[in-house]
Amino acid sequence: MTQFVTEKVSRLQRLYDRLESAHVVVDRGPIRFRTEIVLHTDHKNTFVAQVEAEEFNESVDLVIDKIERQLREHKEKLRNRKHQPGGSSKAGM
């Protein structure tokens, strides 16, 4: 189980190379697995995702998908902020 989670979390490093730490908690209830992941990045950004599923592998896959989506949206925001025009608009000309 540990190896499976480690492999999945290492994929996140390729998606976003500014990760500082990742904490994964897997809790098995009577029926379902609850998986939570907390990522800390540079610039004090924290990303959190939590999923419940009936199977261990399914819960890990779903939580990784959620956190990947958050990282992609964050990267897109950063990318868009860098390419914003600097206030001098030529639309009035």
Side-chain angles (χ1 to χ4, degrees):
M1 290 180 158
T2 304
Q3 182 180 358
F4 181 75
V5 171
T6 303
E7 289 173 10
K8 294 291 185 172
V9 171
S10 68
R11 283 188 355 202
L12 298 174
Q13 188 71 25
R14 286 184 273 154
L15 179 66
Y16 192 77
D17 61 349
R18 296 177 178 175
L19 298 179
E20 290 184 354
S21 67
H23 300 281
V24 180
V25 177
V26 179
D27 184 31
R28 182 174 184 183
I31 299 173
R32 302 172 70 87
F33 285 90
R34 183 176 158 266
T35 304
E36 179 181 78
I37 185 167
V38 179
L39 292 180
H40 297 281
T41 64
D42 62 344
H43 303 295
K44 308 293 185 231
N45 292 319
T46 302
F47 300 93
V48 180
Q50 178 181 329
V51 168
E52 287 190 22
E54 292 183 14
E55 298 292 326
F56 168 76
N57 292 354
E58 179 186 12
S59 71
V60 172
D61 287 339
L62 290 173
V63 80
I64 292 293
D65 289 345
K66 273 188 165 185
I67 208 81
E68 282 180 350
R69 190 173 329 114
Q70 290 179 25
L71 289 173
R72 281 192 190 99
E73 289 173 4
H74 178 69
K75 279 179 65 171
E76 189 65 30
K77 263 196 239 179
L78 291 176
R79 199 173 302 141
N80 288 340
R81 189 176 341 149
K82 286 183 179 179
H83 299 294
Q84 291 290 328
S88 61
S89 175
K90 294 185 180 184
M93 295 175 103

